[in-house]
Amino acid sequence: MFAYFARRGVLAIFTLWAVTVLSFIIIQLPPGDFVDAYMAQLAVMETDVSEQQMEAMRRQYALDRPIHEQYLRWMGNMFRGNFGTSMLWKQSVLDVIGDRLAMTVVVSLGAVLLTWAIALPIGIYSAVRQYSIGDYAFTFVGFIGLGVPNFLLALLLMYLGFVLYDANIGGLFSPEYQLEPWSWGKVRDLLYHLPLPALIIALSGTAELIRIMRANLLDELRKPYVITARAMGLSERRLILKYPVRVALNPFVSTIGYLLPYILSGSVIVSFVLSLPTLGPILLGSLIAQDMFLAGTIILMLGSLTVIGTFISDLLLMWIDPRIRFGMVQEG
């Protein structure tokens, strides 16, 4: 077992390094650099900047150096806990991310928990009651969830909230708590506003996981061990929950590895629509402006979420499936 976790740790470190290299290269692919994009914005505003100022900005951010030197400098600063200065915001990257990182984690975790809480029981019900009215109804709703973009649902709910209740349902805080320091009142206000954006972001993932759970459980319910256990008089509830559901959870649990970064990256437009203080809009703006320090740091966080999610899914799979634990013991 120790050998298994050690190997996973080494692979995680290698994956994160590969993410840093790929993200840095991708940010450098568009023609020009941050200074060129910045100058284009100033040109639109009819503001003139001298060539000397442009060169000074390139020296300030080391954009005049070869790409490998820029990467090594970025990585060296990162190992010292310095993620660089955002060229777009003129602030430390950690200061720019700040509370937005915490808000992103809160919204993402809320979306994941809602996804599981909704998809798991509905998937089980649809499999056990195959071709029933409830199964058809949940299948129809699931196809709507897969087909309707999250941002369109967000716009619809904002419109209904304004028309029916004369209320703005965007954001994560009430106006009186927007700029206030953290307190129990602000936490309660966050928990009050959190379910709606979390539900909107989780909708497409929920619909997909319902279909996955339904298909996996239907496959398990047709296997001989289920038929034998039912013939031996085991109660239907215990039979379903103890054996087929646990086996059917394997593909369900394995989706955690991509669910966390998918929720973060897939919520960019929803964050714009609902005015959510998350990392999505900042990531989009930094990519457009070619702010390599800010964009590279956020992309590295996305890669870290993938690695963390995969590790969590491995632990959960080891817990729910004795075959995996047995294989790990033999391997160790």
Side-chain angles (χ1 to χ4, degrees):
M1 187 177 295
F2 175 77
Y4 173 82
F5 284 112
R7 187 169 64 252
R8 299 297 293 181
V10 172
L11 289 175
I13 294 174
F14 176 78
T15 302
L16 289 179
W17 171 78
V19 168
T20 63
V21 174
L22 290 175
S23 62
F24 198 84
I25 293 175
I26 290 173
I27 293 171
Q28 299 288 343
L29 284 180
D33 52 25
F34 168 77
V35 175
D36 293 322
Y38 183 64
M39 292 302 109
Q41 292 180 0
L42 293 181
V44 172
M45 297 184 291
E46 298 182 355
T47 302
D48 295 328
V49 178
S50 65
E51 192 69 26
Q52 290 77 12
Q53 290 176 306
M54 295 176 61
E55 293 302 323
M57 289 184 65
R58 286 194 171 90
R59 287 193 299 270
Q60 178 183 355
Y61 298 113
L63 297 178
D64 57 337
R65 299 182 182 181
I67 183 172
H68 67 276
E69 291 187 17
Q70 297 181 39
Y71 172 77
L72 292 176
R73 178 183 178 182
W74 179 51
M75 289 298 296
N77 291 333
M78 193 181 300
F79 280 119
R80 292 191 293 269
N82 179 15
F83 290 88
T85 301
S86 170
M87 297 178 281
L88 183 63
W89 294 74
K90 305 296 189 296
Q91 296 178 12
S92 167
V93 168
L94 294 181
D95 290 338
V96 174
I97 293 174
D99 288 340
R100 288 180 178 266
L101 177 60
M103 292 298 98
T104 302
V105 171
V106 169
V107 174
S108 299
L109 288 179
V112 170
L113 293 177
L114 275 175
T115 298
W116 275 55
I118 296 173
L120 183 58
I122 292 179
I124 295 174
Y125 174 86
S126 295
V128 174
R129 299 286 187 268
Q130 187 182 15
Y131 303 136
S132 65
I133 296 178
D135 180 28
Y136 283 122
F138 287 129
T139 300
F140 177 73
V141 174
F143 283 136
I144 292 179
L146 288 172
V148 177
N150 289 347
F151 72 90
L152 183 60
L153 179 62
L155 288 171
L156 177 62
L157 291 179
M158 288 189 68
Y159 173 77
L160 293 177
F162 180 77
V163 172
L164 299 179
Y165 302 102
D166 194 23
N168 181 11
I169 63 173
L172 291 175
F173 300 101
S174 301
E176 60 269 21
Y177 285 107
Q178 287 284 354
L179 302 178
E180 290 294 320
W182 282 102
S183 62
W184 284 112
K186 187 170 184 177
V187 171
R188 288 194 299 269
D189 189 62
L190 171 62
L191 295 177
Y192 175 77
H193 287 84
L194 180 61
L196 186 61
L199 179 62
I200 294 172
I201 294 173
L203 183 61
S204 60
T206 300
E208 181 180 358
L209 288 182
I210 289 174
R211 307 305 300 169
I212 292 175
M213 187 63 193
R214 180 182 184 275
N216 293 335
L217 188 53
L218 280 174
D219 185 57
E220 290 299 319
L221 290 175
R222 297 188 179 100
K223 291 187 176 179
Y225 76 90
V226 176
I227 300 174
T228 303
R230 187 178 287 118
M232 293 175 61
L234 195 65
S235 67
E236 193 71 14
R237 179 186 180 89
R238 185 182 178 189
L239 166 65
I240 293 173
L241 295 179
K242 187 173 183 180
Y243 298 109
V245 168
R246 291 186 64 176
V247 177
L249 277 175
N250 283 13
F252 196 87
V253 171
S254 64
T255 60
I256 296 178
Y258 72 85
L259 189 61
L260 292 177
Y262 167 78
I263 287 176
L264 175 58
S265 60
S267 63
V268 174
I269 301 180
V270 176
S271 297
F272 271 113
V273 172
L274 294 178
S275 302
L276 301 181
T278 59
L279 289 179
I282 290 184
L283 173 59
L284 180 60
S286 62
L287 290 173
I288 294 174
Q290 294 182 253
D291 188 345
M292 61 184 183
F293 298 118
L294 182 56
T297 301
I298 298 177
I299 293 174
L300 178 60
M301 290 180 179
L302 287 174
S304 302
L305 282 176
T306 304
V307 173
I308 293 172
T310 303
F311 185 71
I312 293 174
S313 67
D314 288 341
L315 293 179
L316 291 176
L317 286 172
M318 183 183 64
W319 175 58
I320 66 176
D321 195 336
R323 297 172 298 179
I324 297 178
R325 292 199 300 272
F326 181 73
M328 290 172 56
V329 171
Q330 280 192 329
E331 186 180 349

